[in-house]
């Protein structure tokens, strides 16, 4: 009889422990599902943020490419303008040099004429 009571008590304790462990297991499963859902939601949020960041980066790349192209165009136009000015200045310098040489030639001719006139004047005196 005592053995039966002891066996019943052990059986009841085991059943209580099994019920307690089953309840803990159910709680763990519920917690596990909750945690898994939370992780999935956080992953979705993180992926959405990455997508937004990637879109922003792509927009910036397009904007920078456009700015670079505009800068290159303006730089090329500036270089063209500088080259035109260099050509114009070279032409002006050449024209100036020609006129200066012509002026010097005229002065030399006038000096020669003056010398000739002096010589003629001196001879007549």
């Amino acid at each position: 009889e005592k053995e039966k009571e002891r066996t019943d008590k052990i059986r009841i304790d085991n059943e209580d422990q099994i019920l307690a462990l089953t309840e803990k297991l159910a709680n763990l499963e519920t917690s596990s599902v909750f945690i898994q859902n939370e992780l999935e939601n956080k992953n979705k949020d993180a992926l959405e943020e990455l997508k937004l960041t990637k879109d922003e980066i792509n927009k910036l790349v397009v904007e920078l490419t456009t700015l670079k192209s505009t800068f290159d165009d303006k730089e090329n136009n500036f270089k063209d303008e500088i080259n035109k000015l260099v050509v114009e200045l070279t032409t002006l310098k050449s024209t100036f040099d020609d006129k200066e040489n012509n002026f010097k030639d005229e002065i030399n001719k006038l000096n020669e004429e003056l010398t000739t006139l002096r010589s003629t004047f001196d001879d007549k005196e």
Side-chain angles (χ1 to χ4, degrees):
E1 175 94 16
K2 277 191 177 194
E3 187 62 31
K4 187 179 183 290
E5 282 178 21
R6 194 168 85 64
T7 303
D8 285 347
K9 184 177 182 323
I10 289 173
R11 185 182 48 78
I12 290 170
D13 285 346
N14 283 345
E15 285 175 358
D16 287 347
Q17 285 180 350
I18 289 171
L19 283 174
L21 288 173
T22 302
E23 190 176 320
K24 281 184 180 180
L25 182 60
N27 287 339
L28 286 174
E29 286 175 352
T30 302
S31 294
S32 173
V33 168
F34 177 77
I35 290 170
Q36 187 174 354
N37 287 338
E38 284 293 307
L39 286 174
E40 286 176 6
N41 289 337
K42 286 183 180 182
N43 279 342
K44 285 179 189 174
D45 291 345
L47 286 174
E48 189 61 32
E49 279 186 41
L50 283 176
K51 183 181 178 292
L52 289 175
T53 304
K54 184 180 177 186
D55 289 347
E56 289 170 1
I57 288 171
N58 288 337
K59 285 178 187 173
L60 287 173
V61 166
V62 168
E63 192 175 328
L64 281 172
T65 303
T66 303
L67 284 172
K68 173 79 169 87
S69 176
T70 302
F71 175 81
D72 289 347
D73 289 347
K74 288 187 178 190
E75 182 183 33
N76 288 334
N77 289 340
F78 183 71
K79 286 178 180 176
D80 288 346
E81 286 299 315
I82 287 176
N83 288 335
K84 287 176 186 173
L85 288 172
V86 166
V87 168
E88 194 174 328
L89 280 172
T90 304
T91 304
L92 284 172
K93 171 79 169 92
S94 175
T95 302
F96 176 80
D97 288 347
D98 289 347
K99 287 186 178 191
E100 183 183 33
N101 288 334
N102 288 340
F103 183 72
K104 286 179 181 176
D105 287 346
E106 286 298 316
I107 287 177
N108 287 336
K109 285 179 187 174
L110 287 172
N111 278 333
E112 284 176 18
E113 276 185 45
L114 189 60
T115 303
T116 304
L117 283 172
R118 278 190 184 142
S119 174
T120 304
F121 181 75
D122 288 343
D123 288 345
K124 288 191 175 186
E125 229 178 43

